[in-house]
Amino acid sequence: MYAERASRLDGAVVWTNQPSSDGPGRVLPDGCMDLLWHEGRLLVAGPDTRAYVTEGAPSAWAGVRFAPGTAPALLGVPARELLDRRVDLADLWPAAEVRRLTARVNAAADPASGLEEVALGRAADAEPGDPLLRHVVDALDAGRPVAATADELALGARQLHRRCLAAFGYGPKTLARVLRLQRALGLARGGVSYAETAIRAGFADQAHLARDVRELAGVPLTELLGRR
């Protein structure tokens, strides 16, 4: 079973997942990066350009999902270096520090709370985030064109692309596509018809929605939502 709550870290979400059945899980692109706990280990999930399919026997996971664009400043690594990857935290931070933090998380009342404390401590020592990134996310999530977003920020297209690679792992067009997918899923899960979902989320039509879902999620929309 999956559960989440708002974190004390601004914009972040704390979550746990204990799969209730066998079979692969599917993590969809959302523009975010996560600090993870799994079987006593600490890992980092980089930004995804397609669904990440989990394998193996069902097991418990916990995580802190950072708001889009905020994780690189906390983790100390550009998002593009972790694109479509899951890596041990020890690959990014000194081994001794990771051993200390792993012991701290494993000794916590629950791994999710332990991870949140790690994230809060890291944020307290990090430089303030780039406010431009929040504007990029808000503009693209509202469906504004990439060119218009660059103009609003007084950035050239190449400048915006470079900033996005470091913060989100991919360029603004891919980020806009991922955010549009998430808007569509929110509408469809709320009972909005597929045709209306396509229009309201910013797709050209329902066929466009279907193509994007299959390309980004790896399965048709009906299967993704558990409908037949």
Side-chain angles (χ1 to χ4, degrees), residues 76-97:
V77 59
R80 64 179 177 272
E81 295 186 10
L82 299 177
L83 189 65
D84 293 318
R85 298 176 63 198
R86 274 39 176 185
V87 302
D88 284 316
L89 185 59
D91 291 340
L92 307 179
W93 294 358
E97 181 181 5

Side-chain angles (χ1 to χ4, degrees), residues 122-133:
R122 189 74 176 187
D125 296 331
E127 293 293 326
D130 185 350
L132 176 145
L133 301 175

